[in-house]
Structure formats: C-alpha cells, structure tokens
Amino acid sequence: MYLLGAYSDSQGLEGIRNNVVKYISERDGGYAADATNIYLTSGASEAIRAILKLLQTSVNTGDGRAGIMIPIPQYPLYSATLSEMNSYQINYYLDEANGWKLDIDELKRSLNEARPRCIPRALCVINPGNPTDVVLEVDIWEIVLACVDDEVRFQLENGDDVGKTLLLASLAEQMMDLLSEPPSTWRRVLLQICLKSKGMHPDSFYALELLEKTGLCVVPGNGFGQRGWHFPF
C-alpha cells in the first residue's frame, strides 16, 4: 500500500514499476523488462503529449520545426497535439485494401516529401491500430526498425545535431465497434444523410441526429482522416 496524495518519483513509484516489470515478464513468457525503462503516467494521453514535447526542436515555424510521422487513419489526439505545438504532421496512409497494414513504401514516400518542410523527429506506430485494430506482424516490425536506423544514419551524415529519430510504439487497447465495412443498405442511408447534412460531415450530422433522437452518443469518424468515401462512427 502506497501513501496517496504524497509527492511521487517523476518516473513513478519504484515499487509499482517493479510490479509492472513482473507483470510484463509473466505476460510475455519470461522476457525480462527493466524498471528504469518504465514511466508511469496518469494515462496514455498524458504520456503521448509528454513524449511529443520532448521531440520538439528549438523553433516551431518553418522548415526547422519538428516533424512527426503518424498513421492515417489515426486517433485524433496525435494531430490535435501536433497542431497545438505547431509541429509538422507527416501523414503516412495505412493500406486499407490490404487489411490496414503498414506499407514500407508509403513510409518512405511520406518521409521524403516532408524533408523540405521540417526536421523529421519520430515515427509513431500504433499497435494494435486505433481505430483499425490491426496488429503488426513481426517481419513488418523488423523492416520498420531498419527504416528508423537508416533515417538516424541519414540525419547524422547530413549534420543534423538536433536529435535522432525515435520510434514511438503506442500500445493501444481500444476496440472499435462497427469496424467492418458497412452493408450496402447503409450506403443508401448515408447518401440520404449527405443530402441533408447542410455542409457538415455526414457522420457528424448522423451522430448529432442520433444523440438528439435517442440519447445515444457516438463519435463521428471523420476526424480519423480515412481516405475515400467513408463515414464511420
């Protein structure tokens, strides 16, 4: 039992971090963890914001600002935080036609296009995906890590002393309802909603109508940035 309300170690109470180490080791079949590499926060959102702040450069305008690669569709916390910090958002699109898998060529495309506009500082990989709920395969992780190593060498060879590119692995637990492609009857319903939405995103319009008429609250999906004609919630 720990005293509540007292000052805590900035990294989190050591005893609790040791318990987390034990849990990780038991969960992962005996693979060792290190309590010095574990930081406790009051939630995932706070941890993400803290890491993004650490990755900023000394300027927040022009091509000297930090660039952060994030997957699209994405959990809007990332884009909102980057906008607040005036960082450059580097979008890489997940491959919907291939089960929302991470495509290495798409990673390289987005990175190369962003170089003239910012200093790339991090690749954010959300695993399992949110909102896609896709788990990355081991071979994909190996390729991603190799790409990160290449980028670190590129920045060092080109005299970038601001900092090395980091890999952010956000271990999400959220499950998304209604993830699968909606049936064809929904397409006709959504088309009617489009005609009545009065300039709003159709899914935002639907969510507000649903709330007013049933009291059921859902989150419109347009903020996730999915490509194409999709209006999830």
Side-chain angles (χ1 to χ4, degrees):
M1 179 67 68
Y2 297 94
L3 179 63
L4 298 178
Y7 281 107
S8 172
D9 189 314
S10 297
Q11 192 171 345
L13 291 170
E14 183 178 4
I16 297 178
R17 286 189 283 117
N18 287 333
N19 289 338
V20 172
V21 166
K22 181 180 177 182
Y23 167 79
I24 292 175
S25 180
E26 293 175 351
R27 182 197 64 184
D28 295 347
Y31 285 95
D34 186 347
T36 61
N37 293 331
I38 293 175
Y39 289 76
L40 304 178
T41 69
S42 59
S45 296
E46 180 183 316
I48 291 168
R49 290 190 181 97
I51 293 173
L52 292 177
K53 285 181 180 180
L54 288 172
L55 293 168
Q56 299 306 299
T57 63
S58 58
V59 298
N60 63 355
T61 57
D63 58 7
R65 57 181 170 166
I68 309 295
M69 300 179 67
I70 63 173
I72 301 295
Q74 50 98 25
Y75 184 57
L77 169 67
Y78 294 93
S79 55
T81 304
L82 293 177
S83 178
E84 178 183 359
M85 298 177 181
N86 209 33
S87 300
Y88 188 82
Q89 179 177 318
I90 307 173
N91 295 334
Y92 67 90
Y93 289 89
L94 302 177
D95 187 356
E96 181 179 4
N98 197 22
W100 298 109
K101 289 187 177 181
L102 191 155
D103 183 79
I104 301 303
D105 289 336
E106 170 64 11
L107 278 183
K108 294 178 180 178
R109 177 206 63 77
S110 62
L111 178 60
N112 290 331
E113 288 185 2
R115 289 191 196 281
R117 302 178 176 88
C118 65
I119 298 177
R121 297 300 300 271
L123 165 64
C124 175
V125 179
I126 306 176
N127 187 48
N130 182 3
T132 64
D133 197 39
V134 172
V135 178
L136 291 184
E137 299 172 352
V138 174
D139 59 335
I140 297 296
W141 270 117
E142 292 174 348
I143 297 174
V144 168
L145 291 172
C147 290
V148 172
D149 288 339
D150 290 343
E151 174 63 16
V152 170
R153 285 193 292 271
F154 174 86
Q155 292 197 17
L156 292 177
E157 291 170 359
N158 286 273
D160 176 19
D161 58 356
V162 178
K164 295 182 178 181
T165 299
L166 303 177
L167 176 69
L168 270 175
S170 175
L171 304 178
E173 297 180 353
Q174 293 89 347
M175 295 293 290
M176 289 290 292
D177 287 329
L178 303 177
L179 182 63
S180 59
E181 186 72 13
S184 58
T185 52
W186 268 99
R187 294 290 186 181
R188 292 192 293 273
V189 173
L190 287 171
L191 180 57
Q192 295 176 5
I193 293 174
C194 286
L195 298 175
K196 298 178 181 178
S197 59
K198 299 179 181 178
M200 296 176 62
H201 280 280
D203 47 354
S204 296
F205 178 80
Y206 178 83
L208 288 174
E209 289 289 302
L210 187 66
L211 178 62
E212 291 180 1
K213 295 181 179 180
T214 69
L216 179 63
C217 180
V218 297
V219 178
N222 63 78
F224 293 108
Q226 183 176 348
R227 276 175 168 167
W229 200 81
H230 299 276
F231 306 109
F233 59 87

